[in-house]
Amino acid sequence: MKKSLRIISLIAGLLSLLFVLSACGTKGAKVTGIEAGVTGLNENEVRLSALSDDSTLNNNDYVLKAGEQYRLVVGLTYNGGSRQPGFGNADAVKLFYDSDLFQIEEPDAEGGQLVYPLECRQDFTYAAILVEASEKYHAEVIVSAVK
């Protein structure tokens, strides 16, 4: 009798362990779009960036200093799932911008996001950087640059 209770307890314990382990990270999140924004060199989170301080008209509108270095961060938006999606490389993303106004270098992949070194070449009022991923998702960043 004791032996059969031990076997039943062992089986129940193994099933519980299997259930707990299978619930961790088995389903990927669903991609709903992309987001893009500008941060300073020492910032990692676009939403918490000091550059988006509500002093501009739009949420994705930035006033930058010409000749200074910034980071253009592009990431996926998603919901559900336990595994977060991300960009493995820059091949899935295209940037459209005026190269006379912006200098944008090749990106690094950091934590599933793409981080592009960005500099405004001169001062200007309102220019856009359009971001396209897989021809399905789009985002834009509006920039003004001052000296």
Side-chain angles (χ1 to χ4, degrees):
M1 181 73 169
K2 285 186 178 184
K3 188 174 186 178
S4 64
L5 286 176
R6 285 184 182 167
I7 291 174
I8 292 172
S9 295
L10 180 63
I11 291 172
L14 288 173
L15 288 174
S16 296
L17 181 62
L18 181 63
F19 177 73
V20 168
L21 291 177
S22 68
C24 298
T26 59
K27 185 177 177 192
K30 181 181 178 194
V31 174
T32 58
I34 61 171
E35 62 182 353
V38 178
T39 69
L41 291 179
N42 298 323
E43 298 173 17
N44 293 322
E45 180 61 46
V46 172
R47 292 183 189 125
L48 302 176
S49 173
L51 297 173
S52 56
D53 62 359
D54 296 331
S55 66
T56 58
L57 296 176
N58 298 308
N59 288 338
N60 225 17
D61 185 2
Y62 301 90
V63 178
L64 307 178
K65 292 186 180 178
E68 290 194 16
Q69 296 288 317
Y70 296 95
R71 296 166 16 121
L72 173 65
V73 181
V74 178
L76 294 169
T77 59
Y78 52 88
N79 62 25
S82 55
R83 290 182 292 151
Q84 298 177 354
F87 293 110
N89 59 47
D91 293 340
V93 174
K94 294 179 185 175
L95 300 179
F96 301 94
Y97 59 93
D98 186 337
S99 60
D100 291 335
L101 301 178
F102 297 105
Q103 179 176 338
I104 302 177
E105 303 294 330
E106 290 297 314
D108 289 324
E110 295 179 11
Q113 298 179 326
L114 295 176
V115 179
Y116 296 83
L118 166 70
E119 181 180 332
C120 298
R121 296 179 186 258
Q122 60 190 18
D123 59 325
F124 55 87
T125 304
Y126 295 118
I129 301 170
L130 304 176
V131 183
E132 180 183 273
S134 319
E135 296 182 5
K136 185 175 181 180
Y137 303 113
H138 302 86
E140 60 279 329
V141 176
I142 301 167
V143 177
S144 295
V146 296
K147 288 189 177 195

